[in-house]
């Protein structure tokens, strides 16, 4: 349980006073966008028919949507974009994004006109990995060894 608390607890800023209200404010800023975006994905997935934007395939739209979720997830797990992130944190972001994708595919089994597809889950996982890679490109994934987690 303490390991889970450590994962989801935002890292305090150097200039931030450690108080419950500052922690809550930081948690909302980090995890609010993740929850909001997951809600958008859930809403779209609950529609019987979804129009895919021109130029995108079904799998491409899955990858694109989950790229943003992967980026938001790694950002939240890292405590913000200004923090350096260990590859373990990036892996957890990909894992949680993929698990959400699996739950989304399961959810679609119960929506009229929708179905669960394993290739959609692959596209979701690929998008989560791309999101983590974008964070690395942003310069926040630390290549140093040994890693501080």
């Amino acid at each position: 349980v303490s390991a889970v608390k450590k994962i989801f607890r935002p890292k305090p800023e150097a200039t931030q006073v450690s108080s419950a209200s500052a922690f809550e404010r930081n948690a909302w800023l980090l995890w609010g966008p993740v929850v909001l975006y997951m809600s958008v994905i859930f809403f779209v997935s609950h529609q019987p028919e979804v129009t895919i934007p021109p130029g995108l395939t079904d799998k491409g739209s899955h990858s694109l949507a989950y790229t943003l979720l992967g980026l938001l997830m790694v950002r939240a797990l890292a405590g913000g974009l200004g923090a350096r992130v260990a590859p373990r944190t990036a892996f957890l972001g990909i894992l949680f994004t993929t698990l959400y994708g699996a739950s989304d595919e399961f959810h679609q089994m119960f929506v009229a006109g929708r179905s669960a597809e394993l290739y959609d889950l692959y596209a979701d996982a690929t998008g989560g990995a791309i999101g983590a890679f974008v964070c690395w490109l942003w310069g926040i994934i630390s290549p140093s060894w040994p890693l501080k987690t």
Side-chain angles (χ1 to χ4, degrees):
V1 173
S2 85
V4 172
K5 286 181 181 177
K6 187 175 182 182
I7 290 171
F8 290 102
R9 171 167 276 164
K11 296 177 183 173
E13 301 289 329
T15 58
Q16 186 179 42
V17 177
S18 60
S19 68
S21 63
F23 171 78
E24 290 169 3
R25 184 173 44 253
N26 202 18
W28 275 108
L29 291 173
L30 292 173
W31 290 100
V34 174
V35 172
L36 179 64
Y37 193 65
M38 287 175 148
S39 300
V40 168
I41 290 173
F42 182 87
F43 175 79
V44 171
S45 293
H46 199 69
Q47 305 309 306
E49 192 174 315
V50 177
T51 303
I52 297 171
L56 275 180
T57 64
D58 175 51
K59 305 309 178 245
S61 63
H62 274 263
S63 290
L64 185 62
Y66 280 80
T67 294
L68 181 56
L69 181 59
L71 182 110
L72 291 172
M73 187 71 71
V74 171
R75 173 190 161 271
L77 288 168
L81 283 178
R84 290 197 156 267
V85 182
R88 176 178 178 256
T89 303
F91 172 77
L92 286 173
I94 296 167
L95 177 66
F96 293 151
T97 299
T98 303
L99 288 173
Y100 185 76
S103 73
D104 183 50
E105 291 302 314
F106 180 74
H107 162 245
Q108 288 182 27
M109 291 173 32
F110 304 101
V111 177
R114 302 300 293 266
S115 63
E117 293 184 30
L118 189 57
Y119 288 113
D120 284 349
L121 181 58
Y122 291 155
D124 298 344
T126 300
I130 292 169
F133 182 70
V134 167
C135 288
W136 177 79
L137 289 177
W138 202 301
I140 66 168
I141 296 179
S142 173
S144 63
W145 194 265
L147 299 174
K148 298 176 188 172
T149 55

